[in-house]
């Protein structure tokens, strides 16, 4: 099992460009999450999907959209990238999402110029 | 809104010294999880505490959940260079969401 995979690993964008971060899990988990990590600020929840077909906003959703494509895949889209979105993005999943262990992907390092 | 703070933010220790990080939530938590993130890596689950006053040990690591279920601590005895990284606590918010602490970055000097 690969666990949680993310693509790409690194990306450089110019302000105003768009891109989609991909995440997939092979653990048959119901709940999936997108976090961003900035220095000194820990992990902040952007969006989550409690189960296939549902998505909800987290703490910092502005500037992002998500799609739960199927049970395995949860993508994060930046429609018009801004320098403030320079960060490391982590995808995570849990079995039921109800207080369970989160399994994280390796992360995507994004630089917006 | 709910906040989870960790102190200290950074800690440098000599190899062999002990280390403790503290996690404080503004609200009661049903459980608390601890994660370790190596430099350049991703968070990896260490342990979950559920009961008030619970203490769990993993080799040199001791985890404690406060009586009021609003605070927790992680203590490492006799640190090693392999302990380097950032330690995060996390707690559930509502049914599906989690809130992470600000993290404590540990550096171990050989």
């Amino acid at each position: 099992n690969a666990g949680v995979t993310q693509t790409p690993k690194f990306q450089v964008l110019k302000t105003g460009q768009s891109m989609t971060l991909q995440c997939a899990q092979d653990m048959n988990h119901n709940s999936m999450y997108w976090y961003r990590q900035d220095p000194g600020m820990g992990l902040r929840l952007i969006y989550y999907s409690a189960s296939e077909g549902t998505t909800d906003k987290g703490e910092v959703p502005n500037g992002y959209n998500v799609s739960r494509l199927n049970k395995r895949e949860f993508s994060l889209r930046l429609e018009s990238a801004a320098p403030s979105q320079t960060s490391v993005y982590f995808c995570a999943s849990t079995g039921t999402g109800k207080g369970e262990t989160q399994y994280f992907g390796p992360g995507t390092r994004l630089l917006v110029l | 809104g709910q906040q989870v703070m960790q102190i200290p933010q950074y800690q440098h220790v000599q190899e062999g010294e002990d280390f403790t990080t503290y996690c404080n939530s503004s609200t009661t938590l049903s459980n608390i999880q601890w994660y370790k993130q190596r430099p350049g890596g991703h968070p990896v689950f260490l342990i979950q505490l559920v009961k008030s006053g619970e203490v769990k040990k993993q080799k040199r690591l001791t985890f404690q959940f406060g009586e009021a279920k609003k605070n927790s601590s992680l203590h490492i005895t006799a640190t090693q260079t392999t302990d380097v990284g950032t330690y995060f606590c996390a707690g559930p918010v509502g049914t599906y969401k989690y809130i992470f602490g600000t993290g404590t970055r540990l550096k171990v000097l050989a």
Side-chain angles (χ1 to χ4, degrees):
Chain A
N1 288 349
V4 180
T5 57
Q6 292 183 237
T7 56
K9 287 186 170 55
F10 303 95
Q11 185 71 50
V12 179
L13 292 178
K14 295 181 179 178
T15 297
Q17 288 184 318
S18 62
M19 80 162 294
T20 300
L21 283 66
Q22 306 287 353
C23 173
Q25 51 89 12
D26 62 2
M27 296 175 283
N28 200 35
H29 283 172
N30 286 319
S31 302
M32 298 184 72
Y33 305 80
W34 276 106
Y35 293 91
R36 60 177 290 173
Q37 183 175 37
D38 303 297
M41 299 193 71
L43 291 150
R44 292 184 293 169
L45 182 63
I46 305 171
Y47 270 94
Y48 68 101
S49 171
S51 61
E52 185 179 357
T54 68
T55 60
D56 284 286
K57 295 179 181 179
E59 183 185 357
V60 288
N62 291 346
Y64 305 94
N65 284 302
V66 290
S67 294
R68 183 73 183 266
L69 304 170
N70 48 55
K71 190 171 185 178
R72 289 186 64 248
E73 299 172 288
F74 189 36
S75 63
L76 178 71
R77 183 161 177 83
L78 287 69
E79 290 290 351
S80 179
S84 61
Q85 294 178 305
T86 293
S87 189
V88 181
Y89 292 86
F90 289 102
C91 176
S93 70
T94 72
T96 64
K98 299 179 182 178
E100 293 184 351
T101 304
Q102 293 183 77
Y103 294 86
F104 284 82
T108 294
R109 284 153 179 77
L110 175 65
L111 173 62
V112 183
L113 301 174
Chain B
Q2 184 175 0
Q3 290 185 320
V4 178
M5 302 298 295
Q6 280 184 254
I7 54 171
Q9 189 174 3
Y10 301 97
Q11 183 83 60
H12 292 181
V13 299
Q14 287 290 137
E15 189 174 21
E17 291 182 339
D18 291 356
F19 159 77
T20 304
T21 174
Y22 299 91
C23 175
N24 296 290
S25 170
S26 58
T27 62
T28 300
L29 299 170
S30 59
N31 67 70
I32 195 154
Q33 300 170 353
W34 284 92
Y35 292 80
K36 177 183 178 180
Q37 183 178 24
R38 295 183 186 275
H42 59 277
V44 175
F45 174 79
L46 292 176
I47 207 161
Q48 177 170 287
L49 305 171
V50 179
K51 299 177 183 176
S52 170
E54 188 171 13
V55 178
K56 286 188 176 181
K57 293 189 176 184
Q58 287 181 349
K59 298 183 180 178
R60 296 179 293 104
L61 279 60
T62 301
F63 303 84
Q64 187 166 4
F65 200 9
E67 294 290 340
K69 302 184 79 172
K70 294 178 70 173
N71 56 72
S72 182
S73 64
L74 158 59
H75 179 82
I76 302 178
T77 303
T79 55
Q80 299 176 359
T81 54
T82 54
D83 296 325
V84 165
T86 301
Y87 293 85
F88 293 99
C89 61
V93 177
T95 305
Y96 296 102
K97 294 193 293 185
Y98 297 80
I99 183 167
F100 277 77
T102 46
T104 295
R105 185 179 296 178
L106 173 64
K107 187 170 183 176
V108 180
L109 307 172

